[in-house]
Amino acid sequence: MTEVGSLTLAVGLVLAAYGTVVALAGGWQQRRDLIASAEHAAFACWGLALIATAALLHALVTHDFNVEYVAAYTSSTLPLNYIIAALWGGQKGSLLFWLLILTSITAVVLLQNRERNRDLMPYVNAVLMAIAVFFFAMLVFITPPFERLAFTPPEGRDLNPLLQNYWMQLHPPSLYLGYVGCAVPFAFAIAALITGKLGDVWIRTTRRWTLFAWFFLSLGNLFGAEWAYLVLGWGGYWAWDPVENAAFLPWLTCTAFLHSVMIQEKKNMLKVWNMVLVILTFLLTIFGTFLTRSGVISSVHSFTQSGLGPFFIGFLALSAAVSLGLLGYRLRLLKSENELDSLISRESAFLFNNLVLVGIAFAVFWGTMFPIISEAVRGVKITVGPPFFNKVNAPLGIVLLFLTGVGPLIAWRRAGWQSFRKNLLPPLLAGLASGVSLAALGMRSLWALTSFSIGVFVLAGIVFEYYRGVRARQAVAGENAAVALLHLIGKNRRRYGGYIIHVGVVMMYFAITGTAVFRQEQQITLSQGQSFELGGYTLRYDGVEQESTPHIAYLRAKVALAQDGRDIDVLKPEKRFYKKPEQPTTEVAIRSTLSGDLYLVLGGFDEDTKLVTLLAYVNPLISFLWYGGLVMALGTAVVMWPAAVPVREPRTVRLRAPEPAVVD
């Protein structure tokens, strides 16, 4: 099977190169035979990538340790779910998995557009195939996944123990779907620039793909935060690690694009800006891939150092040069037909929203790259830590949250006093009242008061919008409140689904504020029977227990948990020792409630004295981070839900009654 895998990658490289050239020639000469041939090549590439992936999975599952990748990332005792996860657990396998997603998405895009966008499709196909050429070439020449060893080791080195976690089965696939999904709007944007068809057709065509990419980027970041929270054992979920930042950057610019594109659709403005955001988002996905795989940064998330860096830099530079060259060539055709009427308008709110998002992206990019730049220029690597990112991004985040509430409520073109009093004043008063109430209850942190007050302002505005919409439907259609609500959402899924997403965003802000401002932590060494108190809990150490399997040896501390004098739970934080790589890890124990988590880490155990060292954290409101993600997923599903196909009357009926049908 591995020989088949190598062969399919080589053939795939040839076909992808052929598809790129022939698609460009077909589009340029308007020859249907060439266009069709290029599309057939793209489908063949998808099939070949699928076969290659199946071949590598076969080698992993059958423990073919003669294959270098299998020996490096699995072992005979590794559970099956992690053997499958090993496909994206290493450098070579992850690139192959990336290629499979790219070719699969290309096939879906071609099938979707068999009868539409025919002027654009040759160039869309050419762009996607050109990207595939790069990844095929990496797998054939630089990091071949089917490389064999000179001998067959009796056992593999096992998957990195840090990756043997449930969330690592979801985090990389989600992130890759988001990364690769960004290639679709990029390909349509380049096709629009080549053909000069710069209206909003390419934007409307790729709207769902952009949402698809944004949705999976959101999930990928959230799953990664959950993994870090459970595995790394420092009580937090986001450390501004370079690889975390690399995944966050395209999410920021993609979010900016999703907002600014509405201005282009409504007002035919910001065409250049939207092109820049689409191009920048794609380039940042390639940059993130380079950062993870080049070895230029050190991170628990990155792959081992490899020779891929120069090739990714070259591909990044080539993509940027071609994209920006085309953008400059078509700049005259992208001139906006309208201008801002007022700074106090929805267009302005969305524009400020974009500026803040791009400002955060720039700050994150600069903080991530500064150690590399300083080392290259001065020979000294200066680390930029969380204090820099928090200091810069916290105020920008607060401004962004405020604009999240203002944007949907303010009028298009120009908002006057009447509009302000009708739409903005009630939620503003609700936010102000919440801030005063929290201060009266004893909250003294200015950051927390500001964040919670603005969050309540945003939520009140959303409730207000739903209330007005439902009341309007009840007045017009005579529906009850529940039916009116469902019809309201169904009639304008983009708007009201977006509001649901904003609710999820506010919940996440509450979680970030709660954990950043009110977090408590304590490190303590105890003998059996001793206890300590933290965050209203009493924790008593009741000894350790041990267990061993062929794969892992466990050491667990038993900690009885009481609250208000009543026993409520027993937590068992662990030390694990993975036998194949001979590597220890820490597994945290968590008691989770809606108001917060008690997070317990086994810091150490002394066999001689039987003393145990525990690290305990209380993270208020952190559950809102995960539930906020669920709400965002629900909102995205509402926005992406396909519109109902209008029911056509039978031809005989239409002949008898030629009046136009009323579309519900």
Side-chain angles (χ1 to χ4, degrees), residues 161-343:
L162 293 176
L163 305 184
Q164 296 183 39
N165 175 272
Y166 171 80
W167 291 105
M168 285 309 290
Q169 300 169 75
L170 300 178
H171 163 57
S174 301
L175 205 56
Y176 292 174
L177 281 168
Y179 271 12
V180 180
C182 291
V184 178
F186 171 76
F188 272 90
I190 296 300
L193 287 170
I194 293 173
T195 58
K197 297 182 181 300
L198 298 166
D200 59 0
V201 171
W202 73 271
I203 283 179
R204 294 183 187 280
T205 301
T206 58
R207 181 188 296 160
R208 280 202 170 84
W209 278 109
T210 309
L211 272 168
F212 171 89
W214 178 85
F215 174 65
F216 280 103
L217 281 174
S218 304
L219 286 186
N221 278 290
L222 192 64
F223 292 160
E226 178 82 50
W227 168 80
Y229 186 61
L230 295 177
V231 170
L232 299 185
W234 60 280
Y237 50 86
W238 192 271
W240 297 108
D241 178 276
V243 174
E244 292 175 344
N245 296 345
F248 190 40
L249 284 168
W251 183 89
L252 289 167
T253 52
C254 192
T255 305
F257 173 70
L258 284 171
H259 287 85
S260 65
V261 77
M262 286 188 275
I263 303 178
Q264 182 170 342
E265 292 177 12
K266 291 275 186 184
K267 299 294 177 183
N268 217 11
M269 297 166 54
L270 302 183
K271 291 181 180 178
V272 175
W273 179 247
N274 284 325
M275 274 289 180
V276 169
L277 286 178
V278 169
I279 293 170
L280 186 60
T281 300
F282 172 74
L283 295 179
L284 285 173
T285 65
I286 301 300
F287 170 75
T289 313
F290 154 74
L291 210 59
T292 312
R293 289 167 170 77
S294 61
V296 298
I297 49 96
S298 56
S299 164
V300 295
H301 306 267
S302 63
F303 294 99
T304 54
Q305 193 160 4
S306 72
L308 286 174
F311 298 99
F312 268 95
I313 284 290
F315 182 63
L316 189 65
L318 179 64
S319 301
V322 171
S323 307
L324 298 178
L326 284 169
L327 181 62
Y329 177 67
R330 295 294 189 189
L331 204 55
R332 186 175 56 81
L333 297 178
L334 289 167
K335 187 177 179 182
S336 294
E337 297 172 12
N338 296 304
E339 296 180 352
L340 278 178
D341 292 313
S342 169
L343 284 177

Side-chain angles (χ1 to χ4, degrees), residues 647-662:
V647 178
R648 290 188 176 182
E649 294 176 87
R651 181 176 175 77
T652 53
V653 175
R654 290 206 307 272
L655 289 173
R656 290 172 187 166
E659 295 84 358
V662 176

Side-chain angles (χ1 to χ4, degrees), residues 46-60:
W46 169 69
L48 292 167
L50 191 63
I51 293 171
T53 306
L56 186 56
L57 277 173
H58 179 267
L60 289 167

Side-chain angles (χ1 to χ4, degrees), residues 409 456-469 499 503:
L409 299 179
V456 171
F457 155 67
V458 178
L459 291 178
I462 293 169
V463 171
F464 187 54
E465 279 288 281
Y466 269 100
Y467 173 76
R468 287 199 312 181
Y499 289 156
V503 171

Side-chain angles (χ1 to χ4, degrees), residues 340-364:
L340 278 178
D341 292 313
S342 169
L343 284 177
I344 306 175
S345 63
R346 188 174 298 187
E347 298 95 309
S348 297
F350 282 179
L351 186 58
F352 287 129
N353 156 296
N354 266 232
L355 293 175
V356 173
L357 283 166
V358 173
I360 295 173
F362 177 76
V364 173

